[in-house]
Amino acid sequence: MEKMDKLILITGGAGFIGTHVIKLFVRKYPNYRIINLDKLTYAGNLENLRDVENLPNYEFVRGDIVDKDFIDRLFEKHRFDGVIHLAAESHVDRSISNPLEFINTNIVGTVNLLNAARQIWANDSEGKLFYHVSTDEVYGSLGETGYFTEETSYDPRSPYSASKASSDHLVNAFHHTYGLPIVMSNCSNNYGPYQFPEKLLPLFINNIRNNKALPVYGKGENVRDWLYVGDHANAIDMIYHNGRLGNNYNVGGNNEWQNIMLIKKLIEILDRKLGREVGTSLNLLSYVKDRAGHDLRYAIDSSKLQNELGWEPSVNFEQGLELTVDWYLDNEEWMRNVTSGEYQKYYEIQYMKR
Ligand code: NAD
Ligand code: TYD
């Protein structure tokens, strides 16, 4: 293989955001060699990456970040220049029913990666970087006003956000204790193509299309800030290349929606696109028991990222929602495969034969 400028490990590249980050990096930086490490849990789907899987600067490795020996060997073998760490258990509801998986992957897995990076960069960390991708949920829950800034104290309230907060603290601890070159970002709710249909938007798009009930938690009063996933991938690109070492950057869409308002907007778009009289699918609304410890409101102040690195969201929400709905309507087979578990066979067929 010809000499590449950088060898970057991206973890969790078969997941929702990872898919977009991998595609951006392998196409934009043909001189970087990108290794995608993913365990392929229920949330990892290699079908997402079909259009880049044969590019010469891309390689997939299946593995578990919780397996310390495997991670040490992988780092020893490849001696990466950079790591962009996205692999995680990411769904709050699952963390409420099974917290341990979140502790293992999000905390132990992150420490394994940090330790392995520390070892290979012990004598020369010039130009090396460990980029940890995190969430705004580490800051806890806001009342009706205010925003999370990079100075907001951590106050995680779900097993998911507590596990991500722990991993953030450990990333900072490795920077301060061992001088590991790190950077980190905390982003608000992402939406867009390839999101697993356990999360609000793809779940509700699929249910509206199939005339299934829409389980609104509580009264639907909770507020989230929504950012198009491609804008998050662009932020990751900018922060990876220009972020200041040891810093964290908040990433958000400045786009707050109360759940019920967002769901009604979605119903309107889908009714229109499906040729139903607008408002027909409102009868699918089904108010169900609230999520335990449900955070009321997240809102992000991303002015540090905007002022320092010149990032800003490029997709406005109206357009982003339309194109997201179009994508799910056009990719019925993807949705069918994902909901039936069929996609997990793809790995066997595609990779075991090699
Ligand atoms: P996702 O659940 O869609 O994907 C996670 C990926 O990690 C999957 O491909 C899965 O197979 C892989 N993975 C899980 N456990 C692993 C393990 N032990 N070893 C190796 N791979 C493993 O998640 P996502 O929504 O793409 O989120 C990616 C990252 O971004 C996460 O760290 C998440 O906390 C963070 N984040 C997500 C959002 C959001 O709105 N989705 C917002 C802010 C931050
Ligand atoms: P989700 O997509 O799970 O993201 P997060 O919990 O990380 O913000 O949920 C977004 C919001 O939608 C959150 O307030 C919970 C709510 N929600 C429902 O009302 N019903 C659902 O079926 C789901 C999955 C979420």
Side-chain angles (χ1 to χ4, degrees):
M1 168 167 308
E2 68 185 276
K3 172 132 177 39
M4 298 272 177
D5 294 344
K6 270 188 203 307
L7 174 56
I8 301 180
L9 176 71
I10 298 185
T11 70
F16 164 49
I17 301 170
T19 290
H20 292 269
V21 174
I22 293 268
K23 289 187 185 197
L24 176 68
F25 271 69
V26 295
R27 288 182 176 137
K28 186 168 174 185
Y29 302 108
N31 288 338
Y32 290 2
R33 191 169 152 225
I34 303 294
I35 296 192
N36 172 14
L37 167 65
D38 200 295
K39 181 180 174 183
L40 300 183
T41 67
Y42 78 94
N45 183 355
L46 284 179
E47 272 188 52
N48 301 354
L49 294 162
R50 247 182 203 161
D51 48 344
V52 296
E53 71 185 10
N54 292 322
L55 292 181
N57 64 336
Y58 170 75
E59 189 183 324
F60 174 71
V61 174
R62 188 176 193 175
D64 187 346
I65 60 170
V66 178
D67 181 346
K68 178 185 177 305
D69 294 341
F70 162 75
I71 292 296
D72 285 346
R73 281 197 307 274
L74 188 78
F75 275 67
E76 199 46 58
K77 176 176 172 198
H78 292 288
R79 306 196 74 81
F80 304 107
D81 299 301
V83 177
I84 304 179
H85 175 36
L86 295 117
E89 287 293 335
S90 70
H91 190 42
V92 174
D93 293 325
R94 285 180 190 256
S95 83
I96 295 169
S97 38
N98 181 14
L100 192 56
E101 199 66 36
F102 286 69
I103 307 309
N104 287 334
T105 288
N106 298 1
I107 306 178
V108 178
T110 301
V111 174
N112 284 339
L113 295 168
L114 289 166
N115 257 327
R118 177 165 78 91
Q119 277 157 24
I120 60 161
W121 299 338
N123 297 323
D124 180 16
S125 64
E126 186 62 36
K128 310 291 193 281
L129 185 64
F130 190 105
Y131 182 160
H132 179 61
V133 177
S134 193
T135 166
D136 62 352
E137 302 191 26
V138 298
Y139 296 121
S141 180
L142 290 165
E144 280 173 14
T145 57
Y147 295 90
F148 299 134
T149 73
E150 288 80 2
E151 270 66 54
T152 304
S153 300
Y154 277 27
D155 183 21
R157 294 150 46 101
S158 73
Y160 165 63
S161 54
S163 67
K164 291 295 290 186
S166 307
S167 65
D168 292 11
H169 287 315
L170 286 156
V171 171
N172 278 321
F174 270 66
H175 176 65
H176 290 290
T177 309
Y178 308 111
L180 192 77
I182 67 103
V183 72
M184 176 160 38
S185 56
N186 296 83
C187 188
S188 61
N189 286 57
N190 286 212
Y191 71 97
Y194 301 110
Q195 188 167 31
F196 193 83
E198 62 186 353
K199 305 274 166 62
L200 181 73
L201 281 173
L203 178 71
F204 279 36
I205 292 170
N206 198 36
N207 284 11
I208 296 169
R209 174 170 48 196
N210 296 315
N211 272 310
K212 284 173 65 178
L214 304 173
V216 181
Y217 295 164
K219 294 185 181 143
E221 287 172 338
N222 306 66
V223 175
R224 297 292 182 264
D225 171 70
W226 294 93
L227 179 70
Y228 187 68
V229 60
D231 280 322
H232 187 192
N234 287 334
I236 290 173
D237 178 17
M238 282 184 175
I239 295 167
Y240 182 81
H241 289 97
N242 298 310
R244 279 186 294 136
L245 286 187
N247 273 245
N248 70 317
Y249 293 86
N250 282 352
V251 190
N254 202 11
N255 177 39
E256 288 178 52
W257 284 77
Q258 202 179 39
N259 288 343
I260 191 63
M261 300 308 287
L262 175 58
I263 292 163
K264 286 184 174 165
K265 177 91 198 151
L266 199 63
I267 287 173
E268 183 194 309
I269 295 175
L270 271 142
D271 277 349
R272 178 163 41 80
K273 289 192 190 283
L274 294 169
R276 299 177 188 164
E277 192 183 333
V278 171
T280 312
S281 303
L282 286 169
N283 65 13
L284 299 174
L285 287 174
S286 164
Y287 292 88
V288 300
K289 188 166 175 284
D290 207 354
R291 173 186 280 172
H294 198 170
D295 288 340
L296 179 66
R297 175 171 166 260
Y298 305 142
I300 275 269
D301 175 348
S302 56
S303 50
K304 176 177 174 185
L305 177 60
Q306 305 204 3
N307 295 337
E308 272 189 27
L309 304 185
W311 174 87
E312 56 180 36
S314 66
V315 177
N316 87 31
F317 194 52
E318 296 276 323
Q319 291 166 341
L321 259 191
E322 292 270 342
L323 77 87
T324 299
V325 169
D326 286 343
W327 188 87
Y328 286 99
L329 293 181
D330 290 346
N331 289 275
E332 219 170 325
E333 196 188 337
W334 182 90
M335 185 59 93
R336 231 189 348 261
N337 284 346
V338 170
T339 43
S340 69
E342 193 62 24
Y343 69 101
Q344 282 168 327
K345 290 190 189 144
Y346 179 73
Y347 175 80
E348 315 298 334
I349 297 163
Q350 194 58 28
Y351 285 87
M352 290 308 185
K353 70 182 184 208
R354 290 186 173 178

